[in-house]
Amino acid sequence: MLTEAEEVIHARAAVACEAATAAGLPGRFEAWREDGLLAVLATAPDLRFLRTISGITEQNLPRAVRLAEASCWDGDPPTLVLPEGLVPRGTGLVPAGVRPIATLPLTSAKSESDVDDSPDVEVFLRVLLDGYESGEAVKAFVAAEHADPRIRRSLLVEDGVPISAAALSSHGYGVLLGGSATPRAHRGKGAQARLLVHGLAVAAREGHRFAVATAVEGSPSLSNLRRIGARVQVRRAFRLG
């Protein structure tokens, strides 16, 4: 399941990179495959967290290290994301945190009645970005990604007011859940969890087999995923020493 999940994440990253390029954001945005590896490049300094190599196994780990040393990274090498248990001995890699990945099998469930699945794009982005509370470069990237027509947008509406935003995209048998955010004024109401369950129900009805999401270790988003039964795998991140 981890391999399939990483494929879904990479497919969504490709959509985001294409959207950022089309929107004319500063820098280069690329997602590509190389020798079974999944690479993502973003040259803007504030988006360096996107610079990753995944799809790494014991067999292709040496190739992943060589790719991380390549000139395409302009001297700012990417993060290599390894599955739990794969120890990069003798590679010169040093630990750089964790990158959890959550997977959920999809089964039929009741969707929320208070969700707008066809919101105005500008309204959706306003709610989403208000909830993200990020820097300008990240907000511009998120806005470009979530304005793309391949992204499906939803808003949870309470008394006529949109209080939380969530999106998903379809990639073969899987869907990618993200991004999702609730403005500070509306937190503590379970809004994100309700949108999460709604998205899973919609994806299940459409015949998708599994859902994938990423979240920061210790975050409310990861807690919500665990609460509804997601299997969370804590992938280890490494960088060149």
Side-chain angles (χ1 to χ4, degrees):
M1 177 62 81
L2 180 59
T3 300
E4 288 183 302
E6 288 192 317
E7 290 278 357
V8 168
I9 292 171
H10 186 71
R12 173 62 172 266
V15 170
C17 286
E18 291 168 7
T21 300
L25 299 190
R28 288 166 45 221
F29 301 90
E30 299 177 18
W32 74 98
R33 300 168 184 268
E34 186 170 325
D35 295 329
L37 299 166
L38 308 173
V40 180
L41 168 67
T43 59
D46 289 345
L47 299 175
R48 70 189 311 272
F49 64 90
L50 297 170
R51 303 160 72 91
T52 56
I53 299 175
S54 59
I56 300 173
T57 65
E58 185 176 1
Q59 291 71 33
N60 66 22
L61 177 58
R63 295 198 297 274
V65 173
R66 289 196 296 272
L67 177 57
E69 296 170 336
S71 60
C72 64
W73 307 101
D74 296 329
D76 186 9
T79 298
L80 285 77
V81 187
L82 278 60
E84 186 76 45
L86 178 54
V87 181
R89 294 188 179 92
T91 60
L93 297 175
V94 296
V98 295
R99 296 286 183 100
I101 183 171
T103 55
L104 300 106
L106 293 178
T107 57
S108 59
K110 183 179 179 181
S111 56
E112 283 278 344
S113 59
D114 294 332
V115 173
D116 180 358
D117 283 320
S118 302
D120 177 82
V121 175
E122 295 303 320
V123 174
F124 174 87
L125 292 177
R126 175 176 54 79
V127 176
L128 182 71
L129 297 178
D130 189 13
Y132 260 74
E133 299 182 346
S134 301
E136 292 306 312
V138 173
K139 284 186 175 181
F141 181 82
V142 170
E145 174 188 4
H146 289 84
D148 189 279
R150 290 168 288 184
I151 305 300
R152 298 177 54 177
R153 298 167 287 269
S154 297
L155 285 174
L156 183 64
V157 181
E158 184 178 83
D159 296 327
V161 178
I163 66 169
S164 187
L168 63 81
S169 52
S170 302
H171 308 281
Y173 289 111
V175 296
L176 193 288
L177 303 171
S180 176
T182 302
R184 188 174 296 274
H186 300 293
R187 292 174 188 169
K189 303 177 182 179
Q192 188 181 85
R194 291 167 63 188
L195 276 175
L196 175 59
V197 171
H198 176 81
L200 295 174
V202 171
R205 285 201 302 269
E206 294 180 349
H208 295 289
R209 185 162 51 84
F210 65 95
V212 182
T214 59
V216 176
E217 182 67 25
S219 68
S221 295
L222 198 59
S223 297
N224 285 332
L225 288 163
R226 284 194 168 104
R227 193 173 295 116
I228 64 171
R231 179 189 180 193
V232 178
Q233 295 170 274
V234 182
R235 303 175 299 164
R236 302 288 172 182
F238 294 86
R239 289 179 62 85
L240 295 175

